[in-house]
Amino acid sequence: MIVDNALYRAGRRVEVDCAASDLAGVIAAREPGDFVWVGLFEPDAAEMGEVAQHFGLHPLAVEDAVNAHQRPKLERYDDQLFVVLKTLWYVDAEDAVETGEIAVFVGRDFVVHVRHGAGSELHGVRLDLERRASVLSHGPSAVLYVLCDRVVDDYAEVGTSLEVDVDEVEASVFSPVRTDDTARIYTLKRELAEVRRAVLPLREPLRRIVAGDVDVDGVADEAAPYFRDVADHLTRVTEVVEYLDGLLAAAFDAQVARISVQQNEDMRRISSGVALVAGPTLVAAVYGMNFDHMPELHWTLGYPMALALMVLISGFLWWQFKRSGWM
């Protein structure tokens, strides 16, 4: 559905005498230098087709915008620009990174964005930009900038949340309490891979915009410093993702090594216990054979001597194991 449809002139929103859903009415009120910004949320093919007809959008880009599930990219169709951004948000209770998508069509006098998923709510972005007339006066390129900036800022928030969880995993792995964090480490590495699939492909589209390779009327050359700032933020997020992935790999190796050490300690304790029982068992086995001609078999002190021998053997083994750290 159409969330908002507005006309902007000299960096300010122009009130028009028609409903937001009336694309033709808003477009008709446009004057030279004005631009229209249309926002849609998960439109169906019919609604998107109507928007495409009004603005002359390329059918391949329209198909991508409706179906979603695209990787971040930048494509040029004649004098229009088509940009796909992946949105991210973090569900801390499940250690899960959820993804959405924003498709942006940029022309000389219009911007159309199509949002899928719950991430990166854009109404607040529009309101904030409308309060910055100096930025909005750059036209459609200003809208593309704030959308990219909002998406990358959300990446940074997801990275911060993941840092907290990775710190918790590290503390758990190296705590004195015996824990098994293998499953959580795997989950976090999988979510980091999801973040990487959104962050890394976006570097090339931003590089092309900063370098001026897009060459369309809707993206002003004066906007390059703003996109350069977004690209710098994206680089920092990329570094955080790589850093966290390395930490998780090290934590997994440490977890495996710690499990191995714990198993060795368990085996030593088990072996010590078996040895403590083996000594008395040997004595009892010897004196339990009941041969007629065994020494001390009919000796009055034979039974106490056997018990004492069992105690002495067990005590000596326990002292040795304790001194060597096995018990």
Side-chain angles (χ1 to χ4, degrees):
M1 64 177 181
I2 295 179
V3 178
D4 203 351
N5 175 28
L7 176 66
Y8 295 91
R9 180 177 301 152
R12 299 194 180 278
R13 182 168 180 149
V14 178
E15 297 299 331
V16 293
D17 190 20
C18 60
S21 59
D22 185 3
L23 290 172
V26 175
I27 294 172
R30 187 171 53 189
E31 297 180 1
D34 297 350
F35 75 94
V36 176
W37 180 3
V38 181
L40 299 99
F41 179 71
E42 298 183 354
D44 56 26
E47 188 173 27
M48 194 66 211
E50 180 184 354
V51 175
Q53 184 177 5
H54 281 291
F55 294 104
L57 306 180
H58 196 279
L60 291 178
V62 171
E63 182 181 355
D64 288 346
V66 173
N67 295 331
H69 304 297
Q70 306 295 315
R71 71 192 304 270
K73 62 181 179 179
L74 182 150
E75 294 179 349
R76 180 180 175 183
Y77 296 96
D78 297 327
D79 59 343
Q80 297 176 9
L81 205 63
F82 178 62
V83 181
V84 175
L85 308 169
K86 298 293 288 186
T87 59
L88 302 176
W89 67 98
Y90 195 59
V91 182
D92 187 61
E94 302 175 4
D95 288 342
V97 176
E98 301 292 340
T99 62
E101 190 172 306
I102 299 175
V104 188
F105 300 85
V106 181
R108 179 178 57 84
D109 51 8
F110 71 88
V111 177
V112 176
H113 78 256
V114 180
R115 182 168 67 93
H116 294 267
S120 297
E121 185 277 324
L122 299 180
H123 181 65
V125 174
R126 184 189 289 260
L127 294 178
D128 180 64
L129 185 58
E130 289 176 353
R131 290 191 289 267
R132 303 161 63 189
S134 60
V135 177
L136 192 54
S137 62
H138 289 288
S141 57
V143 177
L144 180 60
Y145 155 69
V146 297
L147 293 179
C148 293
D149 188 54
R150 172 58 185 271
V151 168
V152 173
D153 285 346
D154 288 345
Y155 291 169
E157 291 181 7
V158 170
T160 300
S161 299
L162 285 170
E163 279 187 285
V164 173
D165 285 347
V166 171
D167 288 343
E168 291 176 356
V169 167
E170 280 191 304
S172 179
V173 167
F174 294 102
S175 68
V177 180
R178 179 175 295 193
T179 59
D180 184 4
D181 300 291
T182 306
R184 192 179 186 192
I185 291 173
Y186 173 78
T187 299
L188 289 174
K189 283 185 71 67
R190 184 185 61 196
E191 301 311 316
L192 277 174
E194 192 74 42
V195 175
R196 189 183 289 106
R197 283 193 290 269
V199 172
L200 297 187
L202 186 57
R203 294 183 298 181
E204 179 60 17
L206 288 177
R207 186 202 64 78
R208 290 177 59 188
I209 295 175
V210 170
D213 293 343
V214 293
D215 192 26
V216 294
D217 293 337
V219 179
D221 294 337
E222 297 82 2
Y226 295 95
F227 286 100
R228 188 178 301 115
D229 180 67
V230 177
D232 290 341
H233 293 171
L234 186 68
T235 299
R236 287 200 293 270
V237 174
T238 303
E239 292 172 350
V240 168
V241 170
E242 299 299 334
Y243 170 70
L244 293 179
D245 190 61
L247 283 181
L248 284 175
F252 180 78
D253 291 341
Q255 175 73 12
V256 172
R258 187 179 182 188
I259 291 174
S260 178
V261 170
Q262 290 171 346
Q263 289 176 341
N264 288 336
E265 291 178 351
D266 292 341
M267 288 304 300
R268 289 192 302 180
R269 291 190 176 94
I270 293 171
S271 299
S272 300
V274 171
L276 290 176
V277 175
T281 302
L282 177 62
V283 175
V286 171
Y287 281 92
M289 290 188 289
N290 297 322
F291 289 117
D292 289 336
H293 301 290
M294 284 184 61
E296 297 91 22
L297 186 60
H298 300 287
W299 185 33
T300 306
L301 298 179
Y303 180 68
M305 184 202 69
L307 292 179
L309 187 58
M310 294 178 187
V311 172
L312 286 174
I313 292 174
S314 297
F316 176 75
L317 291 175
W318 181 86
W319 174 70
Q320 288 287 348
F321 292 145
K322 196 71 174 179
R323 190 175 67 169
S324 60
W326 281 39
M327 296 190 69

